[in-house]
Amino acid sequence: MKKFFVLLVIVLCLNIVVSCNKKEQEDNLPQMVDVDLSIKPNPGELGKPVTFEAKVTQGKDQVEDAEVIFEIWRAKNDNHEKVEIKHSKNGIYRLEKSFNQEGTYYIISHVTARDMHNMPKKEFVVGTPSEPEDANAKNSMENMDMDNMKESNNGK
């Protein structure tokens, strides 16, 4: 009986230690990096600048050290322009770009910060909309080639 009691006490103590360790690990988990992608104006006008902004936050903190790439393309077009964006201020990464062809376009902001990756995608229109992409089309990440990334002086 004495052995059973000692074994029971050991099991209870181990259970308490493991529970405390799990709680401590949960408390130390970082919050997700959040990306709020905006397009102004939408719809845009042919030949006039459209402003793309990615506001990057983690909890209440503004992330100013993220790697941000905007990938932009016209619907049904395999040519995707990739532009590396520098931090503007207050966790905002901004690009102004004009378009010389009307249609439906897409943007993905590829954001890597604090060992996390977030890539929201949005549709926008310049002038008159064109036929949108098929929802079952290939994922743009399959075609992403970082060696051919185009840099732009517009990304500040």
Side-chain angles (χ1 to χ4, degrees):
M1 186 73 175
K2 189 175 183 180
K3 289 181 181 181
F4 177 75
F5 181 72
V6 170
L7 184 62
L8 183 63
V9 169
I10 291 173
V11 169
L12 288 174
C13 289
L14 286 174
N15 192 20
I16 290 171
V17 169
V18 169
S19 297
C20 290
N21 191 24
K22 284 183 182 178
K23 175 71 173 147
E24 187 176 305
Q25 286 176 346
E26 290 172 3
D27 291 343
N28 291 334
L29 287 177
Q31 291 182 308
M32 291 297 297
V33 170
D34 186 44
V35 180
D36 181 20
L37 180 60
S38 66
I39 304 163
K40 295 176 187 169
N42 189 12
E45 293 182 43
L46 198 60
K48 293 190 178 179
V50 176
T51 302
F52 304 96
E53 287 186 353
K55 182 169 175 108
V56 183
T57 57
Q58 185 178 35
K60 295 179 182 176
D61 296 335
Q62 298 168 349
V63 178
E64 299 180 354
D65 59 346
E67 292 178 24
V68 179
I69 298 171
F70 286 165
E71 179 179 0
I72 303 170
W73 71 98
R74 189 172 186 274
K76 309 249 182 198
N77 188 339
D78 290 335
N79 184 22
H80 293 208
E81 179 181 11
K82 298 161 189 93
V83 182
E84 186 172 354
I85 308 300
K86 301 295 180 198
H87 179 255
S88 292
K89 63 178 181 174
N90 301 328
I92 295 174
Y93 297 77
R94 178 179 298 123
L95 171 69
E96 286 189 5
K97 179 175 175 54
S98 298
F99 295 85
N100 59 12
Q101 185 178 11
E102 292 187 319
T104 300
Y105 286 82
Y106 297 91
I107 181 170
I108 295 178
S109 62
H110 300 272
V111 178
T112 304
R114 301 176 182 176
D115 296 327
M116 295 181 199
H117 191 74
N118 193 335
M119 43 187 275
K121 176 181 178 181
K122 287 203 173 183
E123 180 181 281
F124 65 99
V125 173
V126 174
T128 305
S130 60
E131 184 179 346
E133 290 189 344
D134 180 11
N136 297 323
K138 288 202 297 189
N139 185 337
S140 66
M141 285 299 290
E142 294 174 10
N143 301 320
M144 187 164 184
D145 182 0
M146 295 300 286
D147 294 333
N148 295 327
M149 180 176 29
K150 297 178 184 175
E151 291 196 23
S152 170
N153 292 333
N154 293 337
K156 296 180 181 180

